[in-house]
């Protein structure tokens, strides 16, 4: 049958759409190696040169290593690591704990006279992973400045209070939550008894550290840990979990 004007327009749009999809697939194939690793797409960031556009969908920034004539797009958090800035913005587990511990040890070995800055916005998580980070904060020679930028709950609040004394800070609308450790056990009666004793032991150690870090009596801390205990930034400062609330520079 004869092709109508509407059919021709529709066919033209379909050809355009298919061309765009094909180019997208070609770009994706070019951007990744067969093993799934991104190719090193570099651009010279010398005098008068402009970096290529940031890859869409990934938080990356242009970076040129000192002494290098070429630059590359790097993950924004890796870029922050180079400025001694750590960001704990997820639930605490073994993977994120190991990553942050590795970065802290490297930065401390590189220069232990400069402080590290740990921004915390975490709902908490694994006690063992949090304790590993806590011990590393106390192990490194560098000062660790902790800043609450959203919610520091459970082990997040524990790490917030673990920062260098006088350098534990919070933004005005951030919140802090403390509570006792939670857990569960199943199996034989003796195994459940062992797990229960371990949880009570962890609770005792956490309460002792909260009391030491905040300056509150241990008996009061034990009562406050009995249930979820939420505090504003200013209440956390009065409690002793942070030393200062960062006031907004714009007077909001």
């Amino acid at each position: 049958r004869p092709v109508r004007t509407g059919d021709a327009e529709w066919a033209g749009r379909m050809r355009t759409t298919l061309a765009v999809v094909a180019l997208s697939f070609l770009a994706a194939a070019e951007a990744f190696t067969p093993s799934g690793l991104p190719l090193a797409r570099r651009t010279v960031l010398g005098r008068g040169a402009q970096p290529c556009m940031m890859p869409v969908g990934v938080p990356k920034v242009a970076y040129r290593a000192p002494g290098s004539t070429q630059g590359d797009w790097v993950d924004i958090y890796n870029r922050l690591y180079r400025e001694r800035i750590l960001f704990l913005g997820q639930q605490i587990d073994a993977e994120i704990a190991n990553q942050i511990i590795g970065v802290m040890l490297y930065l401390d070995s590189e220069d232990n006279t400069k402080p590290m800055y740990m921004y915390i916005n975490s709902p908490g998580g694994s006690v063992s992973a949090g304790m590993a980070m806590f011990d590393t904060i106390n192990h490194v020679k560098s000062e660790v400045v902790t800043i609450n930028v959203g919610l520091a709950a459970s082990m997040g609040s524990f790490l917030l209070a673990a920062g260098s004394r006088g350098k534990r800070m919070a933004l005005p609308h951030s919140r802090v939550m403390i509570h006792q450790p939670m857990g569960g056990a199943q199996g034989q009666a003796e195994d459940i008894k062992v797990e229960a004793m371990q949880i009570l032991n962890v609770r005792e150690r956490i309460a002792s550290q909260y009391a030491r870090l905040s300056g509150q009596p241990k008996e009061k801390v034990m009562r406050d840990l009995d249930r979820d205990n939420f505090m504003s930034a200013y209440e956390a400062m009065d409690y002793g979990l942070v030393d200062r609330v960062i006031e907004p520079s714009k007077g909001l």
Side-chain angles (χ1 to χ4, degrees):
R1 63 184 177 87
V3 179
R4 292 175 296 180
T5 304
D7 293 338
E9 292 179 355
W10 179 83
R13 291 175 182 174
M14 283 299 298
R15 284 195 296 270
T16 303
T17 303
L18 291 174
V20 171
V21 172
L23 288 175
S24 300
F25 276 111
L26 287 174
E30 181 185 0
F32 291 88
T33 62
S35 62
L37 298 176
L39 289 174
R41 301 174 109 193
R42 300 186 175 182
T43 179
V44 177
L45 298 182
R47 186 176 303 173
Q50 297 295 328
C52 61
M53 294 181 64
M54 184 184 76
V56 177
V58 291
K60 293 189 176 183
V61 293
Y63 176 74
R64 185 177 64 192
S68 175
T69 59
Q70 291 185 324
D72 197 4
W73 291 104
V74 298
D75 184 278
I76 189 170
Y77 297 111
N78 288 327
R79 180 68 182 89
L80 291 174
Y81 294 159
R82 300 172 192 267
E83 302 298 330
R84 306 179 71 86
I85 297 174
L86 311 174
F87 193 81
L88 177 59
Q90 65 182 70
Q91 186 169 350
I92 300 170
D93 56 20
E95 182 178 359
I96 188 64
N98 289 337
Q99 291 176 5
I100 292 182
I101 287 171
V103 174
M104 292 177 67
L105 293 175
Y106 171 75
L107 294 176
D108 189 63
S109 66
E110 186 179 49
D111 189 350
N112 57 29
T113 64
K114 296 179 181 178
M116 304 178 202
Y117 300 86
M118 180 181 291
Y119 289 81
I120 300 174
N121 183 19
S122 172
S126 167
V127 173
S128 57
M131 281 294 189
M133 295 176 63
F134 175 82
D135 287 339
T136 304
I137 290 173
N138 290 281
H139 167 71
V140 296
K141 295 182 176 63
S142 302
E143 288 187 326
V144 179
V145 181
T146 54
I147 306 103
N148 183 11
V149 295
L151 173 66
S154 190
M155 288 307 294
S157 66
F158 193 68
L159 295 174
L160 174 66
S164 299
R165 188 59 61 92
K167 298 185 178 181
R168 305 170 301 175
M169 295 173 275
L171 295 183
H173 296 100
S174 62
R175 295 186 301 158
V176 174
M177 190 272 280
I178 61 175
H179 65 181
Q180 61 180 316
M182 296 181 293
Q186 61 181 2
Q188 300 182 21
E190 284 300 318
D191 294 334
I192 296 174
K193 180 180 178 181
V194 170
E195 287 293 332
M197 294 299 295
Q198 286 297 312
I199 292 176
L200 292 174
N201 180 266
V202 170
R203 181 175 183 263
E204 182 74 17
R205 282 189 290 154
I206 287 178
S208 298
Q209 291 297 335
Y210 269 126
R212 180 181 67 85
L213 296 169
S214 66
Q216 299 287 342
K218 185 178 178 180
E219 295 75 15
K220 173 176 171 53
V221 172
M222 292 289 283
R223 292 194 302 269
D224 294 337
L225 291 177
D226 196 45
R227 292 290 184 269
D228 289 355
N229 193 342
F230 286 88
M231 308 178 197
S232 67
Y234 297 95
E235 289 171 339
M237 182 175 65
D238 294 337
Y239 198 88
L241 296 177
V242 298
D243 303 303
R244 182 165 66 91
V245 176
I246 304 174
E247 298 294 343
S249 58
K250 297 180 180 179
L252 299 177

PDB file of all heavy atoms in Angstrom, residues 33-63:
ATOM      1  N   THR A  33      36.454  -2.768  29.162  1.00  0.00           N
ATOM      2  CA  THR A  33      37.234  -3.862  28.618  1.00  0.00           C
ATOM      3  C   THR A  33      36.431  -5.146  28.741  1.00  0.00           C
ATOM      4  O   THR A  33      35.437  -5.207  29.459  1.00  0.00           O
ATOM      5  CB  THR A  33      38.552  -3.995  29.398  1.00  0.00           C
ATOM      6  OG1 THR A  33      38.225  -4.309  30.751  1.00  0.00           O
ATOM      7  CG2 THR A  33      39.352  -2.726  29.343  1.00  0.00           C
ATOM      8  N   PRO A  34      36.863  -6.257  28.100  1.00  0.00           N
ATOM      9  CA  PRO A  34      36.133  -7.519  28.230  1.00  0.00           C
ATOM     10  C   PRO A  34      36.026  -8.010  29.660  1.00  0.00           C
ATOM     11  O   PRO A  34      35.097  -8.713  30.001  1.00  0.00           O
ATOM     12  CB  PRO A  34      36.968  -8.479  27.360  1.00  0.00           C
ATOM     13  CG  PRO A  34      37.621  -7.593  26.352  1.00  0.00           C
ATOM     14  CD  PRO A  34      37.913  -6.305  27.077  1.00  0.00           C
ATOM     15  N   SER A  35      36.991  -7.656  30.521  1.00  0.00           N
ATOM     16  CA  SER A  35      36.934  -8.104  31.909  1.00  0.00           C
ATOM     17  C   SER A  35      36.009  -7.260  32.753  1.00  0.00           C
ATOM     18  O   SER A  35      35.820  -7.528  33.925  1.00  0.00           O
ATOM     19  CB  SER A  35      38.334  -8.063  32.526  1.00  0.00           C
ATOM     20  OG  SER A  35      38.823  -6.730  32.521  1.00  0.00           O
ATOM     21  N   GLY A  36      35.425  -6.226  32.172  1.00  0.00           N
ATOM     22  CA  GLY A  36      34.474  -5.412  32.921  1.00  0.00           C
ATOM     23  C   GLY A  36      35.090  -4.208  33.588  1.00  0.00           C
ATOM     24  O   GLY A  36      34.418  -3.477  34.289  1.00  0.00           O
ATOM     25  N   LEU A  37      36.381  -3.973  33.379  1.00  0.00           N
ATOM     26  CA  LEU A  37      37.046  -2.853  34.013  1.00  0.00           C
ATOM     27  C   LEU A  37      37.060  -1.660  33.064  1.00  0.00           C
ATOM     28  O   LEU A  37      37.279  -1.811  31.866  1.00  0.00           O
ATOM     29  CB  LEU A  37      38.484  -3.218  34.397  1.00  0.00           C
ATOM     30  CG  LEU A  37      38.618  -4.348  35.417  1.00  0.00           C
ATOM     31  CD1 LEU A  37      40.090  -4.671  35.638  1.00  0.00           C
ATOM     32  CD2 LEU A  37      37.966  -3.951  36.728  1.00  0.00           C
ATOM     33  N   PRO A  38      36.827  -0.449  33.592  1.00  0.00           N
ATOM     34  CA  PRO A  38      36.823   0.719  32.707  1.00  0.00           C
ATOM     35  C   PRO A  38      38.178   0.940  32.060  1.00  0.00           C
ATOM     36  O   PRO A  38      39.221   0.721  32.669  1.00  0.00           O
ATOM     37  CB  PRO A  38      36.478   1.870  33.659  1.00  0.00           C
ATOM     38  CG  PRO A  38      35.888   1.218  34.853  1.00  0.00           C
ATOM     39  CD  PRO A  38      36.513  -0.122  34.965  1.00  0.00           C
ATOM     40  N   LEU A  39      38.186   1.345  30.806  1.00  0.00           N
ATOM     41  CA  LEU A  39      39.425   1.719  30.137  1.00  0.00           C
ATOM     42  C   LEU A  39      39.929   3.037  30.690  1.00  0.00           C
ATOM     43  O   LEU A  39      39.166   3.866  31.168  1.00  0.00           O
ATOM     44  CB  LEU A  39      39.171   1.871  28.627  1.00  0.00           C
ATOM     45  CG  LEU A  39      38.923   0.584  27.833  1.00  0.00           C
ATOM     46  CD1 LEU A  39      38.541   0.960  26.417  1.00  0.00           C
ATOM     47  CD2 LEU A  39      40.143  -0.302  27.836  1.00  0.00           C
ATOM     48  N   ALA A  40      41.217   3.246  30.646  1.00  0.00           N
ATOM     49  CA  ALA A  40      41.803   4.485  31.150  1.00  0.00           C
ATOM     50  C   ALA A  40      41.614   5.578  30.104  1.00  0.00           C
ATOM     51  O   ALA A  40      42.479   5.803  29.261  1.00  0.00           O
ATOM     52  CB  ALA A  40      43.282   4.278  31.464  1.00  0.00           C
ATOM     53  N   ARG A  41      40.451   6.227  30.139  1.00  0.00           N
ATOM     54  CA  ARG A  41      40.186   7.307  29.190  1.00  0.00           C
ATOM     55  C   ARG A  41      40.742   8.576  29.783  1.00  0.00           C
ATOM     56  O   ARG A  41      40.132   9.194  30.644  1.00  0.00           O
ATOM     57  CB  ARG A  41      38.687   7.429  28.943  1.00  0.00           C
ATOM     58  CG  ARG A  41      38.060   6.167  28.392  1.00  0.00           C
ATOM     59  CD  ARG A  41      36.569   6.343  28.312  1.00  0.00           C
ATOM     60  NE  ARG A  41      36.136   6.464  26.931  1.00  0.00           N
ATOM     61  CZ  ARG A  41      34.944   6.873  26.586  1.00  0.00           C
ATOM     62  NH1 ARG A  41      34.089   7.243  27.481  1.00  0.00           N
ATOM     63  NH2 ARG A  41      34.592   6.938  25.310  1.00  0.00           N
ATOM     64  N   ARG A  42      41.891   8.956  29.354  1.00  0.00           N
ATOM     65  CA  ARG A  42      42.584  10.090  29.951  1.00  0.00           C
ATOM     66  C   ARG A  42      42.602  11.268  28.996  1.00  0.00           C
ATOM     67  O   ARG A  42      42.532  11.127  27.789  1.00  0.00           O
ATOM     68  CB  ARG A  42      44.018   9.714  30.338  1.00  0.00           C
ATOM     69  CG  ARG A  42      44.062   8.566  31.352  1.00  0.00           C
ATOM     70  CD  ARG A  42      45.446   8.310  31.834  1.00  0.00           C
ATOM     71  NE  ARG A  42      45.464   7.314  32.880  1.00  0.00           N
ATOM     72  CZ  ARG A  42      46.556   6.925  33.508  1.00  0.00           C
ATOM     73  NH1 ARG A  42      47.723   7.456  33.193  1.00  0.00           N
ATOM     74  NH2 ARG A  42      46.501   6.011  34.455  1.00  0.00           N
ATOM     75  N   THR A  43      42.743  12.423  29.590  1.00  0.00           N
ATOM     76  CA  THR A  43      42.861  13.638  28.796  1.00  0.00           C
ATOM     77  C   THR A  43      43.913  14.524  29.419  1.00  0.00           C
ATOM     78  O   THR A  43      44.058  14.564  30.635  1.00  0.00           O
ATOM     79  CB  THR A  43      41.511  14.387  28.732  1.00  0.00           C
ATOM     80  OG1 THR A  43      41.690  15.571  27.976  1.00  0.00           O
ATOM     81  CG2 THR A  43      41.013  14.769  30.106  1.00  0.00           C
ATOM     82  N   VAL A  44      44.665  15.190  28.621  1.00  0.00           N
ATOM     83  CA  VAL A  44      45.720  16.058  29.127  1.00  0.00           C
ATOM     84  C   VAL A  44      45.077  17.283  29.762  1.00  0.00           C
ATOM     85  O   VAL A  44      44.269  17.970  29.154  1.00  0.00           O
ATOM     86  CB  VAL A  44      46.669  16.475  27.990  1.00  0.00           C
ATOM     87  CG1 VAL A  44      47.714  17.443  28.520  1.00  0.00           C
ATOM     88  CG2 VAL A  44      47.325  15.247  27.380  1.00  0.00           C
ATOM     89  N   LEU A  45      45.432  17.510  31.017  1.00  0.00           N
ATOM     90  CA  LEU A  45      44.902  18.657  31.733  1.00  0.00           C
ATOM     91  C   LEU A  45      45.985  19.726  31.875  1.00  0.00           C
ATOM     92  O   LEU A  45      46.147  20.339  32.911  1.00  0.00           O
ATOM     93  CB  LEU A  45      44.400  18.227  33.120  1.00  0.00           C
ATOM     94  CG  LEU A  45      43.260  17.213  33.129  1.00  0.00           C
ATOM     95  CD1 LEU A  45      42.827  16.918  34.558  1.00  0.00           C
ATOM     96  CD2 LEU A  45      42.077  17.715  32.322  1.00  0.00           C
ATOM     97  N   GLY A  46      46.745  19.893  30.828  1.00  0.00           N
ATOM     98  CA  GLY A  46      47.805  20.889  30.858  1.00  0.00           C
ATOM     99  C   GLY A  46      47.277  22.279  30.626  1.00  0.00           C
ATOM    100  O   GLY A  46      46.073  22.538  30.636  1.00  0.00           O
ATOM    101  N   ARG A  47      48.148  23.189  30.384  1.00  0.00           N
ATOM    102  CA  ARG A  47      47.778  24.573  30.194  1.00  0.00           C
ATOM    103  C   ARG A  47      46.917  24.727  28.938  1.00  0.00           C
ATOM    104  O   ARG A  47      47.272  24.305  27.851  1.00  0.00           O
ATOM    105  CB  ARG A  47      49.043  25.424  30.067  1.00  0.00           C
ATOM    106  CG  ARG A  47      48.774  26.921  29.997  1.00  0.00           C
ATOM    107  CD  ARG A  47      50.079  27.676  29.973  1.00  0.00           C
ATOM    108  NE  ARG A  47      50.890  27.355  31.139  1.00  0.00           N
ATOM    109  CZ  ARG A  47      52.138  27.779  31.283  1.00  0.00           C
ATOM    110  NH1 ARG A  47      52.718  28.496  30.329  1.00  0.00           N
ATOM    111  NH2 ARG A  47      52.815  27.462  32.368  1.00  0.00           N
ATOM    112  N   GLY A  48      45.759  25.317  29.127  1.00  0.00           N
ATOM    113  CA  GLY A  48      44.857  25.567  28.018  1.00  0.00           C
ATOM    114  C   GLY A  48      44.007  24.386  27.612  1.00  0.00           C
ATOM    115  O   GLY A  48      43.139  24.512  26.773  1.00  0.00           O
ATOM    116  N   ALA A  49      44.243  23.190  28.220  1.00  0.00           N
ATOM    117  CA  ALA A  49      43.451  22.020  27.856  1.00  0.00           C
ATOM    118  C   ALA A  49      42.239  21.917  28.757  1.00  0.00           C
ATOM    119  O   ALA A  49      42.278  22.298  29.919  1.00  0.00           O
ATOM    120  CB  ALA A  49      44.295  20.748  27.973  1.00  0.00           C
ATOM    121  N   GLN A  50      41.152  21.386  28.233  1.00  0.00           N
ATOM    122  CA  GLN A  50      39.919  21.221  28.977  1.00  0.00           C
ATOM    123  C   GLN A  50      39.643  19.735  29.171  1.00  0.00           C
ATOM    124  O   GLN A  50      39.803  18.946  28.246  1.00  0.00           O
ATOM    125  CB  GLN A  50      38.751  21.868  28.229  1.00  0.00           C
ATOM    126  CG  GLN A  50      38.883  23.377  28.068  1.00  0.00           C
ATOM    127  CD  GLN A  50      38.842  24.101  29.401  1.00  0.00           C
ATOM    128  OE1 GLN A  50      38.177  23.645  30.323  1.00  0.00           O
ATOM    129  NE2 GLN A  50      39.545  25.206  29.499  1.00  0.00           N
ATOM    130  N   PRO A  51      39.214  19.323  30.382  1.00  0.00           N
ATOM    131  CA  PRO A  51      38.893  17.913  30.584  1.00  0.00           C
ATOM    132  C   PRO A  51      37.631  17.540  29.830  1.00  0.00           C
ATOM    133  O   PRO A  51      36.759  18.376  29.597  1.00  0.00           O
ATOM    134  CB  PRO A  51      38.673  17.811  32.098  1.00  0.00           C
ATOM    135  CG  PRO A  51      38.255  19.193  32.505  1.00  0.00           C
ATOM    136  CD  PRO A  51      38.998  20.130  31.597  1.00  0.00           C
ATOM    137  N   CYS A  52      37.522  16.275  29.436  1.00  0.00           N
ATOM    138  CA  CYS A  52      36.311  15.813  28.762  1.00  0.00           C
ATOM    139  C   CYS A  52      35.161  15.796  29.761  1.00  0.00           C
ATOM    140  O   CYS A  52      35.364  15.951  30.957  1.00  0.00           O
ATOM    141  CB  CYS A  52      36.529  14.427  28.161  1.00  0.00           C
ATOM    142  SG  CYS A  52      36.922  13.166  29.376  1.00  0.00           S
ATOM    143  N   MET A  53      33.958  15.608  29.266  1.00  0.00           N
ATOM    144  CA  MET A  53      32.784  15.646  30.125  1.00  0.00           C
ATOM    145  C   MET A  53      32.807  14.496  31.122  1.00  0.00           C
ATOM    146  O   MET A  53      33.291  13.405  30.831  1.00  0.00           O
ATOM    147  CB  MET A  53      31.515  15.581  29.289  1.00  0.00           C
ATOM    148  CG  MET A  53      31.295  16.795  28.402  1.00  0.00           C
ATOM    149  SD  MET A  53      29.758  16.678  27.473  1.00  0.00           S
ATOM    150  CE  MET A  53      28.578  16.692  28.821  1.00  0.00           C
ATOM    151  N   MET A  54      32.281  14.762  32.314  1.00  0.00           N
ATOM    152  CA  MET A  54      32.229  13.735  33.336  1.00  0.00           C
ATOM    153  C   MET A  54      31.343  12.586  32.882  1.00  0.00           C
ATOM    154  O   MET A  54      30.278  12.814  32.325  1.00  0.00           O
ATOM    155  CB  MET A  54      31.671  14.311  34.637  1.00  0.00           C
ATOM    156  CG  MET A  54      31.672  13.327  35.791  1.00  0.00           C
ATOM    157  SD  MET A  54      30.911  13.989  37.287  1.00  0.00           S
ATOM    158  CE  MET A  54      29.176  13.870  36.844  1.00  0.00           C
ATOM    159  N   PRO A  55      31.761  11.325  33.132  1.00  0.00           N
ATOM    160  CA  PRO A  55      30.907  10.199  32.756  1.00  0.00           C
ATOM    161  C   PRO A  55      29.546  10.300  33.426  1.00  0.00           C
ATOM    162  O   PRO A  55      29.453  10.609  34.603  1.00  0.00           O
ATOM    163  CB  PRO A  55      31.705   8.981  33.262  1.00  0.00           C
ATOM    164  CG  PRO A  55      33.113   9.452  33.343  1.00  0.00           C
ATOM    165  CD  PRO A  55      33.040  10.908  33.692  1.00  0.00           C
ATOM    166  N   VAL A  56      28.489  10.047  32.655  1.00  0.00           N
ATOM    167  CA  VAL A  56      27.138  10.185  33.168  1.00  0.00           C
ATOM    168  C   VAL A  56      26.827   9.034  34.125  1.00  0.00           C
ATOM    169  O   VAL A  56      27.145   7.891  33.854  1.00  0.00           O
ATOM    170  CB  VAL A  56      26.127  10.200  32.006  1.00  0.00           C
ATOM    171  CG1 VAL A  56      24.707  10.277  32.529  1.00  0.00           C
ATOM    172  CG2 VAL A  56      26.416  11.375  31.082  1.00  0.00           C
ATOM    173  N   GLY A  57      26.170   9.353  35.249  1.00  0.00           N
ATOM    174  CA  GLY A  57      25.686   8.327  36.154  1.00  0.00           C
ATOM    175  C   GLY A  57      26.643   7.920  37.247  1.00  0.00           C
ATOM    176  O   GLY A  57      26.274   7.151  38.127  1.00  0.00           O
ATOM    177  N   VAL A  58      27.867   8.387  37.253  1.00  0.00           N
ATOM    178  CA  VAL A  58      28.813   8.042  38.301  1.00  0.00           C
ATOM    179  C   VAL A  58      29.390   9.333  38.888  1.00  0.00           C
ATOM    180  O   VAL A  58      29.742  10.247  38.143  1.00  0.00           O
ATOM    181  CB  VAL A  58      29.967   7.154  37.773  1.00  0.00           C
ATOM    182  CG1 VAL A  58      29.470   5.780  37.417  1.00  0.00           C
ATOM    183  CG2 VAL A  58      30.634   7.789  36.578  1.00  0.00           C
ATOM    184  N   PRO A  59      29.479   9.421  40.219  1.00  0.00           N
ATOM    185  CA  PRO A  59      30.053  10.625  40.824  1.00  0.00           C
ATOM    186  C   PRO A  59      31.569  10.638  40.692  1.00  0.00           C
ATOM    187  O   PRO A  59      32.279  10.071  41.510  1.00  0.00           O
ATOM    188  CB  PRO A  59      29.619  10.526  42.297  1.00  0.00           C
ATOM    189  CG  PRO A  59      29.455   9.061  42.530  1.00  0.00           C
ATOM    190  CD  PRO A  59      29.020   8.466  41.225  1.00  0.00           C
ATOM    191  N   LYS A  60      32.078  11.240  39.636  1.00  0.00           N
ATOM    192  CA  LYS A  60      33.513  11.301  39.415  1.00  0.00           C
ATOM    193  C   LYS A  60      33.935  12.745  39.187  1.00  0.00           C
ATOM    194  O   LYS A  60      33.135  13.581  38.762  1.00  0.00           O
ATOM    195  CB  LYS A  60      33.924  10.442  38.217  1.00  0.00           C
ATOM    196  CG  LYS A  60      33.732   8.950  38.446  1.00  0.00           C
ATOM    197  CD  LYS A  60      34.356   8.126  37.336  1.00  0.00           C
ATOM    198  CE  LYS A  60      34.238   6.638  37.645  1.00  0.00           C
ATOM    199  NZ  LYS A  60      34.897   5.803  36.614  1.00  0.00           N
ATOM    200  N   VAL A  61      35.186  13.026  39.488  1.00  0.00           N
ATOM    201  CA  VAL A  61      35.732  14.366  39.300  1.00  0.00           C
ATOM    202  C   VAL A  61      37.064  14.249  38.567  1.00  0.00           C
ATOM    203  O   VAL A  61      37.749  13.229  38.643  1.00  0.00           O
ATOM    204  CB  VAL A  61      35.944  15.091  40.651  1.00  0.00           C
ATOM    205  CG1 VAL A  61      34.612  15.383  41.318  1.00  0.00           C
ATOM    206  CG2 VAL A  61      36.826  14.259  41.579  1.00  0.00           C
ATOM    207  N   ALA A  62      37.411  15.301  37.836  1.00  0.00           N
ATOM    208  CA  ALA A  62      38.688  15.316  37.126  1.00  0.00           C
ATOM    209  C   ALA A  62      39.825  15.475  38.129  1.00  0.00           C
ATOM    210  O   ALA A  62      39.751  16.286  39.053  1.00  0.00           O
ATOM    211  CB  ALA A  62      38.706  16.464  36.122  1.00  0.00           C
ATOM    212  N   TYR A  63      40.872  14.693  37.953  1.00  0.00           N
ATOM    213  CA  TYR A  63      42.008  14.744  38.883  1.00  0.00           C
ATOM    214  C   TYR A  63      43.297  14.473  38.121  1.00  0.00           C
ATOM    215  O   TYR A  63      43.361  13.586  37.267  1.00  0.00           O
ATOM    216  CB  TYR A  63      41.847  13.706  39.995  1.00  0.00           C
ATOM    217  CG  TYR A  63      43.031  13.650  40.926  1.00  0.00           C
ATOM    218  CD1 TYR A  63      43.255  14.657  41.862  1.00  0.00           C
ATOM    219  CD2 TYR A  63      43.937  12.589  40.861  1.00  0.00           C
ATOM    220  CE1 TYR A  63      44.341  14.606  42.708  1.00  0.00           C
ATOM    221  CE2 TYR A  63      45.018  12.528  41.715  1.00  0.00           C
ATOM    222  CZ  TYR A  63      45.224  13.531  42.644  1.00  0.00           C
ATOM    223  OH  TYR A  63      46.311  13.488  43.480  1.00  0.00           O
TER     224      TYR A  63
END
